[in-house]
């Protein structure tokens, strides 16, 4: 594909895949693909999406072998083809990709808030798209019902937000009621669904362990992140069988930031390194009844980025906690590349500044 920025226009073999699901040109850093708000269906993208749907339906009907090696290859193929179609601007592919993240069919090492953040961008790009002119169709193809697609995306978006954890609903961008009102105003229809009372909390222990273990995998693995949890959940995490072997292999570095009553971390507080079982057993009781943030850094990551994040007792991490709506974030090498204008160290600061200024929520 080519970059949609007229000043760039270069051929892109692989776009930057950002932490919130958006894609960017690796050359000019412009946001591209479906989340740019312009959709186009071509014969090629439509055929790719149809192949993706066939793979997904075959996977759904594969019975007991669904989660076996061959079954997962089929699901991976469905997701890969869907991404290709969405990158080309196919709106139905964008909705389906949001569904894959929403229902935890793809990148299962992400936390629930991370998956919802990605799914939101895909759903919202269609739901809140323009009524006219947002979709063009190649000659000879039948145009889908654009408003019908927008209503479908809205229903899936609100259905997801109705059951997100309370801490995610507290973020203005992802607040259920705010999005319901926006969808009704945009589409001119009413939605009867309401925010579920007592929406279930995510299993932060299992999710956190999955994120940390993914640092050991080949391919696309996290670079660093901040994962919010309670002191009790942190203790439960350290009691997981896979926790200490991961530390002993030195694949991931961990530090804990304890938050005050307002959920933020004092500028003067030093983070507590989690390096071995003896130390952890000694300090774990100090976090009982507190909100904590577990900071991790992939040992295979850039030393420049690591030093930038460590500077000033973790100043940038504290800024992320305070300005990032006190929720969890997981970042990748592509996120650093997006903001790398004069070195990876400065890129880390630009990335966190962008997150804290809510630029990741732009549609």
């Amino acid at each position: 594909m080519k970059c949609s920025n007229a000043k760039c226009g270069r051929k892109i073999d692989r776009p930057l895949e950002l932490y919130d699901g958006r894609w960017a040109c690796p050359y000019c850093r412009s946001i591209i693909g479906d989340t740019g708000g312009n959709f186009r269906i071509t014969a090629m993208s439509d055929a790719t999406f149809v192949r993706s749907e066939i793979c997904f339906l075959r996977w759904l009907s594969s019975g007991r072998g669904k989660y076996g090696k061959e079954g997962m290859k089929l699901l991976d193929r469905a997701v890969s083809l869907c991404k290709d179609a969405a990158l080309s601007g196919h709106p139905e592919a964008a909705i389906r990709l949001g569904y894959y993240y929403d229902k935890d069919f793809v990148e299962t090492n992400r936390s629930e808030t991370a998956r919802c953040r990605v799914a939101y961008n895909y759903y919202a790009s269609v739901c809140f798209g323009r009524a006219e002119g947002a979709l063009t169709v190649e000659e000879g193809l039948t145009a889908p019902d654009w408003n019908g697609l927008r209503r479908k995306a809205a229903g899936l978006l609100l259905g997801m937000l109705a059951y997100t954890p309370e801490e995610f609903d507290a973020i203005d961008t992802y607040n259920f009621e705010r999005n319901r009102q926006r969808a009704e105003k945009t589409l001119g229809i009413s939605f009867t669904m309401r925010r579920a009372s007592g929406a279930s909390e995510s299993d932060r222990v299992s999710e956190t362990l999955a994120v940390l273990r993914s640092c050991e995998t080949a391919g696309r693995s996290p670079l660093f992140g901040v994962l919010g949890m309670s002191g009790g959940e942190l203790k439960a995490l350290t009691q997981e069988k896979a926790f200490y072997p991961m530390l002993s292999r030195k694949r991931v570095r961990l530090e804990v930031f304890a938050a005050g009553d307002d959920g933020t971390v004092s500028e003067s507080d030093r983070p507590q390194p989690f390096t071995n079982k003896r130390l952890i057993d000694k300090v774990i009781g100090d976090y009982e009844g507190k909100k904590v943030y577990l900071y991790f850094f992939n040992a295979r990551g850039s030393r420049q980025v690591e030093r930038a994040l460590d500077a000033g007792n973790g100043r940038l991490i504290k800024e992320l906690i305070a300005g990032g709506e006190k929720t969890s974030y997981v970042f990748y090498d592509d996120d650093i590349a997006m903001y790398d204008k004069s070195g990876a160290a400065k890129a880390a600061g630009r990335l966190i500044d962008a997150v804290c200024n809510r630029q990741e929520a732009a549609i």
Side-chain angles (χ1 to χ4, degrees):
M1 66 172 296
K2 287 186 177 181
C3 176
S4 55
N5 181 355
K7 294 182 179 180
C8 177
R10 296 176 69 172
K11 182 180 178 181
I12 301 172
D13 293 323
R14 189 189 76 82
L16 299 177
E17 295 185 53
L18 307 183
Y19 74 98
D20 59 357
R22 295 178 302 165
W23 291 313
C25 172
Y27 306 110
C28 70
R29 312 307 199 264
S30 297
I31 298 298
I32 58 174
D34 63 288
T35 49
N38 293 307
F39 296 95
R40 175 171 170 76
I41 299 177
T42 65
M44 181 175 291
S45 68
D46 202 45
T48 301
F49 178 62
V50 170
R51 287 163 56 205
S52 170
E53 290 290 270
I54 291 172
C55 286
F56 185 54
L57 289 174
R58 285 178 58 196
W59 178 79
L60 285 175
S61 60
S62 55
R64 293 182 180 180
K66 187 182 300 183
Y67 294 103
K69 186 175 181 181
E70 294 304 315
M72 293 309 295
K73 283 184 179 179
L74 199 58
L75 178 59
D76 290 344
R77 181 62 174 161
V79 173
S80 178
L81 289 169
C82 189
K83 281 187 175 181
D84 289 342
L87 264 172
S88 299
H90 198 294
E92 290 180 89
I95 296 174
R96 177 64 82 187
L97 204 50
Y99 177 85
Y100 285 146
Y101 279 97
D102 177 6
K103 304 303 180 184
D104 201 13
F105 286 124
V106 60
E107 294 193 32
T108 54
N109 58 346
R110 289 179 182 258
S111 67
E112 181 179 357
T113 55
R115 292 194 305 273
C116 288
R117 190 180 286 119
V118 174
Y120 178 91
N121 271 342
Y122 289 125
Y123 288 153
S125 66
V126 178
C127 168
F128 300 128
R130 300 189 307 275
E132 302 292 339
L135 172 64
T136 58
V137 180
E138 191 173 78
E139 187 175 352
L141 297 177
T142 302
D145 177 4
W146 174 236
N147 284 329
L149 290 179
R150 295 167 76 206
R151 290 192 293 270
K152 178 181 179 180
L156 288 168
L157 181 147
L158 293 175
M160 176 186 74
L161 294 181
Y163 290 93
T164 54
E166 289 184 4
E167 64 180 30
F168 197 69
D169 189 57
I171 301 172
D172 187 56
T173 301
Y174 309 110
N175 175 265
F176 171 83
E177 188 59 28
R178 175 185 176 275
N179 279 277
R180 185 185 67 81
Q181 292 177 9
R182 183 183 177 191
E184 290 183 341
K185 182 178 179 180
T186 300
L187 301 175
I189 58 176
S190 296
F191 290 91
T192 58
M193 66 180 72
R194 294 291 181 267
R195 168 82 174 160
S197 59
S200 60
E201 290 294 310
S202 60
D203 183 356
R204 292 188 184 89
V205 175
S206 297
E207 290 178 354
T208 300
L209 190 62
V211 171
L212 297 179
R213 294 185 70 179
S214 69
C215 290
E216 302 181 84
T217 61
R220 181 173 164 84
S221 60
L223 174 61
F224 74 96
V226 175
L227 306 168
M229 64 187 71
S230 69
E233 288 167 332
L234 178 64
K235 183 176 181 178
L237 174 67
T238 64
Q239 295 173 342
E240 288 287 327
K241 186 176 180 180
F243 182 77
Y244 288 105
M246 178 178 57
L247 280 187
S248 64
R249 289 192 291 268
K250 297 183 179 179
R251 297 292 177 84
V252 63
R253 189 180 131 235
L254 301 178
E255 292 183 348
V256 176
F257 292 79
D261 293 338
D262 63 350
T264 59
V265 178
S266 170
E267 293 182 7
S268 60
D269 284 357
R270 290 178 176 272
Q272 171 64 62
F274 267 27
T275 54
N276 59 73
K277 188 175 188 304
R278 180 179 295 180
L279 172 63
I280 293 172
D281 286 344
K282 182 180 178 181
V283 302
I284 195 68
D286 297 341
Y287 303 109
E288 193 69 33
K290 294 183 179 180
K291 173 70 178 287
V292 300
Y293 297 92
L294 183 66
Y295 160 64
F296 75 89
F297 192 88
N298 191 325
R300 295 179 294 179
S302 164
R303 298 281 78 78
Q304 285 182 292
V305 173
E306 184 177 26
R307 286 192 293 268
L309 296 173
D310 288 344
N313 292 329
R315 177 182 57 83
L316 288 177
I317 297 301
K318 292 173 184 176
E319 288 181 5
L320 176 63
I321 293 169
E325 305 286 0
K326 306 179 185 67
T327 186
S328 300
Y329 288 91
V330 177
F331 301 104
Y332 299 80
D333 287 326
D334 281 0
D335 294 301
I336 294 295
M338 176 69 174
Y339 295 95
D340 190 351
K341 298 178 181 178
S342 55
K346 292 184 178 179
R350 292 192 184 98
L351 166 63
I352 289 175
D353 183 63
V355 174
C356 293
N357 284 292
R358 310 307 302 152
Q359 293 181 26
E360 89 281 8
I363 296 298

